[in-house]
């Protein structure tokens, strides 16, 4: 399978906040998979992630069925990792 130089952008579920285009917001991530996705996105050239809300924010495990089909393309700018594993990231909504 070839991707023809297409960039793979991680999908990161968020809860308790919405990010709109042209908006910059601090977002906290505690889920292990989400923190890895944010860290990896920050290492790429464009720092881009796709943010989508969760339908059920109470469940621990995140399944694809629990994510809404609509999201926003965002750009990570500052990433701070706390000792307890939580990541704080400034994200700017792009489109």
């Amino acid at each position: 399978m070839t991707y023809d130089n297409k960039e793979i952008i991680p999908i990161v579920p968020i809860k308790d906040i919405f990010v709109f285009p042209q908006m910059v917001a601090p977002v906290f991530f505690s889920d292990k998979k989400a923190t890895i996705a944010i860290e990896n996105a920050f290492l790429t050239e464009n720092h881009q992630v796709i943010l989508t809300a969760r339908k059920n924010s109470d469940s621990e495990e995140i399944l694809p069925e629990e994510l809404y089909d609509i999201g926003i393309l965002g750009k990570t700018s500052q990433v701070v990792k706390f000792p307890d594993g939580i990541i704080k990231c400034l994200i700017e909504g792009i489109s």
Side-chain angles (χ1 to χ4, degrees), residues 65-84:
E65 305 86 47
E66 295 178 358
L67 302 177
Y68 284 102
D69 296 333
I70 296 174
I72 185 166
L73 182 65
K75 181 178 180 182
T76 60
S77 57
Q78 289 181 351
V79 176
V80 177
K81 189 169 187 178
F82 293 102
D84 59 357

Side-chain angles (χ1 to χ4, degrees), residues 1-73:
M1 181 184 307
T2 61
Y3 292 104
D4 300 327
N5 294 329
K6 292 182 181 176
E7 186 176 356
I8 297 174
I9 302 173
I11 298 173
V12 181
I14 57 174
K15 59 180 180 178
D16 302 330
I17 190 170
F18 292 106
V19 179
F20 295 99
Q22 316 321 283
M23 176 181 168
V24 178
V27 182
F28 291 87
F29 298 96
S30 59
D31 179 69
K32 183 70 174 169
K33 291 179 184 177
T35 58
I36 291 171
I38 291 294
E39 289 174 336
N40 288 338
F42 193 69
L43 296 175
T44 64
E45 183 179 341
N46 294 329
H47 308 294
Q48 294 181 338
V49 294
I50 296 173
L51 302 172
T52 185
R54 296 174 60 181
K55 294 176 184 174
N56 181 7
S57 62
D58 295 334
S59 66
E60 287 294 321
E61 188 170 342
I62 302 168
L63 301 173
E65 305 86 47
E66 295 178 358
L67 302 177
Y68 284 102
D69 296 333
I70 296 174
I72 185 166
L73 182 65

